[in-house]
Amino acid sequence: MGSRASRLLREEEIEEIKKETGFSHRKITRLYRRFTSLDKGENGTLSREDFQRIPELDQVNFRGFMRTLAHFRPIDQDNEKNKNPSATEPLNSRTNKLLFAFRLYDLDRDGKISRDELLQVLRMIVGVNVSDEELGSIADRTIQEADTNGDGYISFNEFIMVLEKGNVDVEQMMSIWFLH
Amino acid sequence: MLRCGYALFWLLGSVLLICVVSPVKGEAVVTREGSHLKLSESSHSNESQHGHSSNITGIPIISFKWHHVETPYLVAFWVLVSFLGKLVIEANHHVTSVIPESALLICFGFILGGMIWAADKVQTFRLTPTVFFFYLLPQVILDAGYHMPNKLFFTNLGGILVHAVIGTCWNAASLGLSLWGCQMGGAMGDLDIGLLQYLLFGSLMAAVDPVAVIAVFEQVHVNDVLFIMVFGESLLNDGVTVVLFNVFDAFVSLGGPKIDAAEIIKGIVSFFVVAFGGSLVGLVFGLLISLLTRCTKNIQIIEPGFIFVLGYLSYLTAEMLSLSAILSIVFCGMCCQKYINANMDENSVQTVRYAMKAFANGSETIIFVFLGISAIDKVIWVWNTGFILLTLLFVLVYRFIGVFFLTWILNRYRLVPLEFVDQVIMSYGGLRGAVAYGLAVMLDENKIKEKNLMVCTTLIVVYFTVILQGITMKPLVMWLKVKRAAVTEVSLLEKLTNKMFNHTLVAIEDISGQIGHNYMRSKWKYFEENWMSWILMKPSARKKQDQVFDVFHQLNLKDAMEYVTEGERRGSLEFVRNENSIIDFKKKSESESFDINNANMSNDHGAMSTTSRDPIPSVSLEMHEQIMKAVREAEAINAHHLLDQHLYKSRKQHRHRFSRSHFDINRDEKEVQEIFQRTMRNRLKSFTSAKMGVKPPKTIVKHTQKEQQQKMPNGKSMDKAKTSYSGDEGSEGDSASGYDQSYMRATYRAGAGIENPAFMPDLDPMDLLQIPPWLGESELDSSMVALSHRAQVDLPRTPSNLRRLAPLRISTRSTDSFTLENIPDTQQMDSDQLQPPPPPPRPPRDDGYV
């Protein structure tokens, strides 16, 4: 407990995080409290035991934690409009949201989704009632659908192309309303 | 004044009539003349019949009994006329693309009304509130509820409710108060309307009409969120309006002086009780329907009836308890849709869908036509320019103000704010319709002196919004560049991603330690899946609940249907069969080949196996054009031969066509027997012929082989049958998958008459399983070199692993490749290949094969 108290968030750190992620001061402190309560090992990082399914989040410090959560901030309208081109894209931009989603599939981080990766994701998501064979053919079909260049993998570009079609509201689906 | 409005409508009506009639002049004129004749005939016959019945002297051979059938006859006749009107209108696509159908129907009503009025000099037909609220409205609302996209609705429920409740109250209050203010200011002359009456009028004008909204918005295809906001609001605020109307009606009857704080509080309480009570009744009935459909398996023919009857009952029950009937039937439809769709037979679900649409669309048509007819009536036209114009103005302006203000508040809590143009469309989409008219007619003339003025104003507002706003809606949507709905079909990846997003959001909410929408939704889903589904769904239906799998299934079905249609279009059924089998193998064997590819990745095959997969999705028809051409001639000959030889032409005995509970024609036992015997005989014949090596399509095989061999990277000399059809796969055409598929195809080409294995249930998976591919190597002949090679390469895969895959092959009907590769006894193979297609092939094959 003492160690946690000593590792209280420093002001400049908050400022940096604020700049990078766009969270407000209050939200950052609130999420820091949450972070420390999740951090069972009390070493300032969350490890795989703390999270199981989210690959982005194995072994993260608070900075990374915030960066991940920032992907889920709703896209702010005024930011979109007066965006100066020199600034780096904010973490909650559409592309970054999509990239985050893509990485959820791309388990081995090679920039493309293979059948095996897709099958793993499917197995996690699809109900228990669907048999392995069916899952297999679903995975095949999914890849076939998206795979425009025919290499048997879904690349990030192909992934975007499928989701651009408009049936998935990325802004809506990849955003949550963070409490203060 | 009065004549002026009259002439205006006549003019408008006749102009529109010309638009409508000009392209199909003959037809339309006939229809109109016909109806006109019949109408005047009916009015004449009224009189003649009286004279006739009085002087009966003997037994009449036939008698003319108009009065006997009058009411039902007129009802049926009006339905027919409305439908014919719609028919004529819909035949003119260039008109309906500019003017919405609802507006045209109203104009059609003007014309009809004019004709009746010209004949009778009095308007005999009009939309009465009883007919409207009891017989026309329920099915429209039930349809809306039943086809409601639940998820979208509940995601936006907050916004919808705010608009439906607060927005409607705002509209009612502001309109009533402003009109009252204007009257105080002396803008409308001398009218005997008090404040309460104005508020009553405001409340009936506040309702945005779902019927009108659907009719207009369904042609504009705005984005989903905007649509659900407008539509959901219009549905719910109907309930709200009716409640408000009743409350104010009670206030008016009570009279101004008697209203004190207690009464107002009672009014507010009754508002909530009525709204929530109605919804609750709907939910109860929805659950009841769901429960009932669990056990209607044996009365499939009438099971769709339950939905309609119980839906209607929920409406009537709510009405009986003086709760909101509209809300009741909306929630009834929304609540039961998921469970009844899962519980009922596919056919019944389709029946419900179509019947629902038929009823809703039909009564919508009738509503609009009668809205038009009702206008042509001298009695109701009381013109007061100030009142009418001010009402129009206020309705429009307050709608804009209300929507903008409420959306401004809501946007602060929305993830994706509603944009400015969306708000404009939402405001502009505030179409008033038949509900307002129905309520206006229901006003009590004794309590409200100016009832006719109100009815007349309501009608004008309805015409203004439905016709003018309806016509300008589409250009406005175009001009403002409102985000349109995507008209693409769902793909698996999208569905999957959606589902994954849902899970991710729940996780993120959990991680960040807050309880939000997603968390609640996942909890609800858990509850629903574990409790509600368990109670309300048949056990068998519960299994097929996965959305991703559902999409997969749908896509597969669609493919299959497309191929059949395509094949039939080309004229040969034989051809379809083969095409189907090919495609299906291709598609399904992909998984298998892909596995193999993955295994190959590590070794030297890696480079080429990445390209080995079929680059073109199997859905594409074009890629099969080439083979199909090549194969066709040979096939046509073959097919005709086979058909002549094997088609058993028995007399069809449709004994059960008269049955009210069965659609199937049951087959004669003997017929089945005979088909079986013939099939067996033919199979024997073909078997012997196959032994002598006579394979019809050999020629084509050679033809395609040439181009193929160059593409074979391993340079293996291929058996002609094996390589023959890889050509169509384009550039890839090599490695395991290439072999596999081409081989399969060759096989099925050879057995031109084989029944389509892709659409057959598994017959005998077990005996095929008994010879695993890696054991069959020793049996391979020269033609199997490539395959055996692959099998060896693949050995790192454990047998158990392959066994896991084996059922996949079986289930995807690609087993034959393995049987053909490895099975030692050629008998089975040959009989399999050359098995003829008997017309009802399943039963005999089952017996003969296993």
Side-chain angles (χ1 to χ4, degrees), chain B residues 742-753:
Chain B
S742 61
Y743 193 78
M744 276 182 276
R745 245 168 264 161
T747 316
Y748 279 91
R749 189 72 42 214

Side-chain angles (χ1 to χ4, degrees), chain B residues 233-251:
Chain B
E233 183 208 337
S234 70
L235 261 188
L236 295 193
N237 79 6
D238 264 349
V240 175
T241 315
V242 176
V243 175
L244 264 186
F245 179 82
N246 287 335
V247 171
F248 278 115
D249 199 34
F251 280 163

Side-chain angles (χ1 to χ4, degrees), chain A residues 29-166:
Chain A
T29 43
R30 191 190 72 78
L31 286 171
Y32 187 69
R33 279 203 302 279
R34 176 68 188 170
F35 179 80
T36 45
S37 76
L38 281 177
D39 180 16
K40 297 280 187 285
E42 296 193 8
N43 48 5
T45 57
L46 298 179
S47 58
R48 201 170 247 296
E49 285 87 59
D50 296 325
F51 303 107
Q52 284 185 329
R53 286 276 161 74
I54 300 178
E56 284 285 310
L57 290 178
D58 50 73
Q59 195 71 21
V60 283
N61 57 11
F62 183 58
R63 196 65 180 274
F65 178 75
M66 291 305 285
R67 211 177 289 133
T68 306
L69 289 187
H71 285 102
F72 291 91
R73 276 182 56 228
I75 297 176
D76 11 52
Q77 297 294 308
D78 41 344
N79 249 19
E80 289 289 298
K81 274 162 201 153
N82 50 29
K83 192 166 49 175
N84 52 341
S86 60
T88 51
E89 217 170 342
L91 284 170
N92 59 345
S93 74
R94 188 185 160 88
T95 322
N96 274 331
K97 278 177 195 291
L98 281 171
L99 194 61
F100 188 91
F102 182 76
R103 293 214 188 111
L104 289 179
Y105 289 103
D106 185 18
L107 302 172
D108 61 2
R109 303 288 190 96
D110 62 349
K112 48 194 185 181
I113 304 170
S114 72
R115 182 179 186 272
D116 278 344
E117 287 165 346
L118 198 61
L119 209 56
Q120 284 192 43
V121 174
L122 271 168
R123 211 164 275 142
M124 282 192 271
I125 284 178
V126 174
V128 279
N129 291 322
V130 180
S131 63
D132 277 356
E133 299 95 77
E134 284 165 334
L135 277 186
S137 29
I138 290 177
D140 291 327
R141 194 152 177 152
T142 312
I143 288 186
Q144 252 180 42
E145 247 171 28
D147 183 18
T148 39
N149 65 2
D151 61 354
Y153 296 93
I154 302 177
S155 67
F156 184 52
N157 280 336
E158 287 163 342
F159 183 74
I160 287 182
M161 259 158 58
V162 172
L163 298 192
E164 284 295 325
K165 281 198 295 181

Side-chain angles (χ1 to χ4, degrees), chain B residues 788-807:
Chain B
S788 70
H789 175 67
R790 174 173 62 73
Q792 279 163 345
V793 170
D794 271 351
L795 271 180
R797 294 181 150 274
T798 59
S800 69
N801 207 353
L802 268 171
R803 235 186 226 291
R804 188 183 62 73
L805 276 170

